[in-house]
Amino acid sequence: MTVLLVAGPPEVRAVGMPGDSEMGKAIFEGNLKAAELALELGADINGGGGNPPLQDAAGRGYIDVVRFLLDKGADVDAAGPSGSPALSAAAGAGHLEVVRLLIKRGASVRALDALGRSALMEAAAGGHQAVAAFLLEQGAPTDVLETGGATILMYAAVSCSTGTVRLLLERGADVNAASNSGWTALLAAARRGCVPVAKTLLDRDALVNASAEDGKTPLILAAASGKVELVRLLLDNGADPAARDRDGDTALSVAQKKGDAAIVKLLKEARP
């Protein structure tokens, strides 16, 4: 599974008309007066092929600029080359009030970007529980799959947001859904070394010995993470210490290669 986390707001691209470069500067600075001037100079309010100004302003959390652009007729669901609309940009950056405004103005909670990611997926990836909760209240679906088959729950697991994981499970997210390469939310949590999320998933009957197509199991990934507590948790829930990945490694051999004495000791004690 290739997990693409939201690292921050999108790049501002200035294109085309005389006012477009001014609009780019205005959005970068969150300068409402400059945005007004840019429109007067002929800036394309929907980006003219580059990132829509609304998307950039939303991703940066500039709610006054977002409101201004919407009042001037910006397309609330317009998407740039990435296919990501303003709602996804705001959700991924954790700007709850901007998210509220966009939805009030008609933004679709079901819109997807070019990789099949929704605003809820972006919020989960960023670990923004409050944003995720609001989107769920507005009817955002939990069963969206991005192009690699990764689920929203997997993104929440990678972000180590236990609260978001619980929210998604309460709304019916499949705890054992697997991506195209066999990754599950528990595998994602184990790779991240996130004990609270792993425990939450196991409490909801996550398959402790499910493996990805490369044979990696949660226990092997936990050993690689160096988290003794995580290894112990998985063993206590029935993880198989003898399982091998495609390279022939077990959790024990991984820990031995890393020189992790505490995990080596724990795994040796767990051998039948």
Side-chain angles (χ1 to χ4, degrees):
M1 177 180 70
T2 300
V3 176
L4 303 176
L5 297 184
V6 176
E11 293 287 334
V12 172
R13 294 186 178 93
V15 295
M17 298 297 290
D20 287 333
S21 61
E22 295 303 319
M23 181 63 81
K25 293 176 186 176
I27 300 301
F28 184 80
E29 298 169 356
N31 189 324
L32 180 56
K33 292 295 184 183
E36 294 172 351
L37 176 61
L39 281 186
E40 292 175 8
L41 291 173
D44 187 325
I45 198 167
N46 289 316
N51 277 3
L54 183 64
Q55 177 194 355
D56 291 331
R60 294 177 183 277
Y62 297 142
I63 193 165
D64 290 340
V65 177
V66 169
R67 186 178 291 108
F68 164 74
L69 292 169
L70 290 169
D71 288 345
K72 291 297 182 180
D75 181 351
V76 73
D77 286 324
S82 68
S84 180
L87 185 62
S88 289
H95 299 306
L96 178 57
E97 293 310 311
V98 176
V99 167
R100 289 182 186 276
L101 175 61
L102 290 167
I103 289 179
K104 184 178 181 180
R105 295 297 188 93
S108 172
V109 295
R110 295 179 176 273
L112 305 178
D113 69 12
L115 295 176
R117 296 178 303 212
S118 66
L120 179 57
M121 187 172 280
E122 298 287 9
H128 303 303
Q129 183 179 342
V131 174
F134 178 72
L135 290 169
L136 286 167
E137 289 171 4
Q138 300 303 308
T142 63
D143 58 355
V144 171
L145 302 178
E146 51 103 270
T147 52
T151 66
I152 297 172
L153 188 63
M154 291 175 204
Y155 274 73
V158 170
S159 74
C160 205
S161 177
T162 309
T164 306
V165 167
R166 286 187 181 132
L167 276 173
L168 293 168
L169 290 171
E170 288 166 3
R171 293 301 185 98
D174 183 353
V175 72
N176 288 312
S179 72
N180 297 350
S181 55
W183 279 79
T184 64
L186 183 58
L187 282 162
R191 183 175 185 178
R192 179 73 163 75
C194 189
V195 178
V197 166
K199 185 177 188 310
T200 298
L201 295 169
L202 289 166
D203 287 345
R204 296 296 292 266
D205 299 323
L207 298 174
V208 72
N209 288 310
S211 62
E213 66 180 11
D214 61 2
K216 292 284 193 299
T217 65
L219 187 62
I220 292 172
L221 292 169
S225 78
K227 296 291 183 70
V228 177
E229 185 182 355
L230 180 56
V231 171
R232 183 178 291 110
L233 173 68
L234 293 167
L235 288 171
D236 289 345
N237 280 273
D240 181 6
R244 294 181 180 275
D245 66 17
R246 192 164 54 193
D247 297 323
D249 278 318
T250 63
L252 178 59
S253 68
V254 167
Q256 287 172 329
K257 289 175 182 177
K258 288 176 60 68
D260 198 321
I263 292 180
V264 167
K265 181 176 183 294
L266 185 59
L267 290 168
K268 283 184 174 180
E269 291 171 351
R271 288 188 302 184

